[in-house]
């Protein structure tokens, strides 16, 4: 019973952290306009979150092996609340940037540590289901964050961050009182096993199929962040979207994405396979980005946007599923770590590129994203014709 309660707390913690990642997206054009920042400034602000997460994650993981998971998760949630308060109070770019750095640190403390604690508290039979719940919470927060942020920002652009800080503080109290940590002996044993597997482990996953999939992960995260990080600024500047319209689009996307991931993803994989699904998603997203570049009205932009986000929401789990099939059983932890690291790199570089390009020309970031997605589609078509990744038919 203790373990089940702890798992529910971990699921909520992951959802909350990822909600915070997305809250800032719909309000960026209004922060930019109010304080007269450049789009490059906003790109740096977005990237700092991923940069802090990328640097801190491996360090935090080692600390949690020594002192336990619960103290790190509680400290991470408190750090999250602090970052949201700083963002709500900020009136200068250094403070906004500091908030995003602290937010990235909080994500590094909570997300991987929650995954580790879930593994500590579950049997092998239960683990896949629980990790699935945590992944769904992670995706749900990312998907719903922009929509919730947009709705709350109708009151004031600061309201989403005060709301998040309040929820964060409440979660700190409940987590401290109710979360059940793993026995220290189990953590020490896990740490010893991890150390014994380090030598040559990265070399073991540098096979042709996995390198191809890692490249796809990097491209998809780079493309999504290149598109999403400036989306609110772009549609506000080029198509005069207000905060209510942006919130509506992002909320609709959240609903559609959850339906696709929960109800249709498995059916599509069974029907057409992961590689074809990845290929179609790259193609659809590339065409929809081009459509936005030539759109003449808000309705066209909204439809194209929903196509792009839906494609990416199917693309990421399809690549992750292929990763689990292409890797061996004893490589799964390392492969998932590489997955998160490469995603973080894409999340850092994408906003920086888009912000810099948009200051030069409003349409240039999406032109570059469209080219990258088109080249990715061609790449997956070649992979499909000359497969180096095992398909279900080959496995049989």
């Amino acid at each position: 019973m203790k373990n089940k309660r702890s798992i529910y707390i971990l699921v909520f913690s992951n959802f909350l952290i990822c909600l915070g990642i997305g809250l800032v997206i719909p309000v960026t054009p209004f922060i930019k306009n109010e304080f007269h920042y450049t789009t490059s400034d906003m790109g740096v602000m977005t990237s700092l979150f991923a940069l802090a997460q990328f640097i801190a994650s491996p360090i935090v993981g080692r600390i949690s092996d020594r002192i336990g998971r619960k103290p790190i998760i509680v400290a991470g949630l408190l750090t999250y609340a602090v970052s949201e308060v700083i963002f709500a109070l900020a009136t200068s770019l250094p403070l906004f940037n500091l908030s995003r750095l602290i937010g990235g640190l909080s994500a590094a403390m909570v997300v991987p540590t929650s995954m580790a604690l879930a593994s500590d508290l579950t049997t092998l039979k239960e683990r896949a289901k629980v990790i699935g719940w945590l992944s769904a919470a992670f995706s749900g927060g990312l998907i719903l964050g922009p929509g919730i942020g947009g709705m709350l920002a109708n009151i004031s652009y600061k309201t989403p961050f005060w709301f998040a800080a309040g929820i964060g503080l409440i979660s700190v109290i409940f987590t401290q009182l109710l979360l059940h940590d793993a026995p220290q002996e189990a953590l020490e044993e896990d740490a010893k096993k991890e150390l014994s597997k380090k030598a040559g482990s990265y070399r073991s996953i540098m096979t042709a199929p996995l390198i191809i999939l890692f490249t796809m992960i990097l491209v998809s995260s780079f493309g999504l962040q290149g598109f999403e990080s400036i989306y609110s600024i772009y549609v506000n500047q080029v198509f005069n979207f207000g905060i209510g319209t942006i919130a509506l689009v992002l909320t609709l996307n959240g609903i559609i994405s959850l339906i696709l991931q929960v109800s249709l993803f498995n059916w599509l994989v069974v029907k057409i396979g992961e590689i074809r699904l990845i290929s179609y998603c790259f193609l659809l997203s590339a065409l929809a980005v081009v459509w936005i570049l030539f759109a003449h009205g808000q309705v066209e932009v909204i439809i194209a946007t929903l196509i792009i986000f839906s494609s990416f929401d199917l693309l990421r789990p399809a690549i992750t599923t292929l990763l689990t099939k292409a890797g061996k059983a004893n490589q799964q932890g390392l492969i998932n770590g590489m997955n998160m690291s490469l995603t973080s790199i894409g999340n850092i570089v994408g906003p920086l590129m888009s912000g810099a390009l948009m200051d030069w020309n409003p349409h240039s970031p999406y032109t570059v994203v469209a080219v990258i997605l088109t080249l990715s589609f061609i790449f997956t078509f070649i992979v499909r014709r000359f497969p180096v990744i095992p398909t279900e038919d080959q496995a049989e």
Side-chain angles (χ1 to χ4, degrees):
M1 186 65 181
K2 276 185 179 180
N3 286 356
K4 186 179 286 189
R5 183 178 64 195
S6 295
I7 296 301
Y8 292 151
I9 292 171
L10 294 177
V11 168
F12 178 75
S13 299
N14 272 260
F15 175 78
L16 182 66
I17 288 292
C18 295
L19 192 72
I21 296 172
L23 284 175
V24 72
I25 292 172
V27 302
T28 49
F30 305 96
I31 294 173
K32 174 181 177 290
N33 294 337
E34 182 166 337
F35 295 100
H36 308 291
Y37 298 144
T38 66
T39 313
S40 293
D41 292 332
M42 306 311 293
V44 170
M45 187 192 300
T46 303
S47 296
L48 285 173
F49 189 104
L51 178 64
Q53 186 178 11
F54 177 69
I55 294 171
S57 289
I59 301 169
V60 169
R62 284 195 289 272
I63 294 172
S64 75
D65 287 337
R66 293 176 185 170
I67 69 171
R69 318 292 189 202
K70 180 177 176 179
I72 299 295
I73 294 171
V74 172
L77 289 169
L78 183 59
T79 304
Y80 166 82
V82 169
S83 75
E84 297 300 320
V85 169
I86 292 173
F87 203 96
L89 293 173
T91 55
S92 66
L93 189 60
L95 278 178
F96 283 120
N97 288 339
L98 176 64
S99 168
R100 297 310 280 170
L101 279 169
I102 295 173
L105 174 61
S106 71
M109 295 171 79
V110 173
V111 176
T113 311
S114 296
M115 293 285 186
L117 182 54
S119 297
D120 296 334
L121 296 177
T122 54
T123 63
L124 285 173
K125 185 177 179 182
E126 300 168 328
R127 194 161 301 161
K129 179 172 72 174
V130 171
I131 295 298
W133 289 353
L134 290 172
S135 297
F138 188 93
S139 298
L142 289 175
I143 290 166
L144 295 176
I148 293 172
M151 288 187 288
L152 291 173
N154 281 314
I155 303 170
S156 160
Y157 83 83
K158 294 175 180 285
T159 304
F161 307 103
W162 287 118
F163 170 79
I167 297 294
L169 288 173
I170 293 169
S171 68
V172 168
I173 297 168
F174 278 92
T175 302
Q176 178 61 39
L177 293 175
L178 302 176
L179 186 65
H180 174 59
D181 209 342
Q184 192 63 31
E185 300 79 20
L187 296 180
E188 289 170 359
E189 186 62 29
D190 285 346
K192 287 176 186 174
K193 287 179 183 176
E194 195 61 34
L195 283 172
S196 69
K197 288 191 250 179
K198 286 289 180 188
S201 55
Y202 282 98
R203 194 177 304 157
S204 71
I205 63 170
M206 289 298 108
T207 62
L210 289 173
I211 288 171
I212 288 172
L213 290 172
F214 288 145
T215 304
M216 287 182 180
I217 288 165
L218 184 60
V219 169
S220 63
S221 60
F222 175 78
L224 177 60
Q225 280 303 309
F227 176 81
E228 186 176 28
S229 62
I230 61 161
Y231 175 76
S232 298
I233 296 172
Y234 180 82
V235 295
N236 173 254
Q237 184 173 319
V238 178
F239 295 99
N240 299 314
F241 276 36
I243 199 164
T245 308
I246 294 171
L248 173 64
V249 174
L250 297 174
T251 303
L252 279 174
N253 168 65
I255 295 168
I256 293 169
S257 296
L258 286 174
I259 292 170
L260 286 173
Q261 289 186 337
V262 173
S263 303
L264 291 178
F265 174 69
N266 189 61
W267 180 81
L268 287 168
V269 168
V270 171
K271 283 289 183 184
I272 63 176
E274 291 94 341
I275 292 182
R276 285 184 181 274
L277 179 58
I278 291 167
S279 181
Y280 295 154
C281 287
F282 274 129
L283 177 61
L284 280 173
S285 56
L287 291 174
V289 171
V290 173
W291 188 7
I292 286 179
L293 288 170
F294 291 95
H296 296 292
Q298 291 190 354
V299 174
E300 288 182 69
V301 175
I302 291 171
I303 296 170
T305 300
L306 294 176
I307 292 171
I308 293 164
F309 281 127
S310 298
S311 297
F312 276 110
D313 287 328
L314 291 173
L315 180 64
R316 286 177 294 189
I319 297 173
T320 302
T321 303
L322 267 186
L323 267 177
T324 63
K325 291 182 178 180
K328 297 176 183 176
N330 62 357
Q331 297 174 328
Q332 295 301 316
L334 187 60
I335 286 170
N336 281 295
M338 283 288 290
N339 187 347
M340 290 190 70
S341 294
L342 290 169
T343 300
S344 294
I345 291 171
N347 291 348
I348 294 166
V349 177
L352 290 175
M353 176 210 72
S354 289
L357 286 174
M358 193 169 182
D359 282 333
W360 174 57
N361 180 289
H363 302 291
S364 57
Y366 284 1
T367 303
V368 173
V369 169
V371 170
I372 290 170
L373 294 174
T374 302
L375 291 174
S376 300
F377 164 69
I378 295 168
F379 181 63
T380 56
F381 182 75
I382 294 169
V383 169
R384 196 172 70 219
R385 291 289 298 270
F386 304 98
V388 293
I389 299 171
T391 61
E392 277 189 36
D393 293 337
Q394 290 171 316
E396 289 172 2

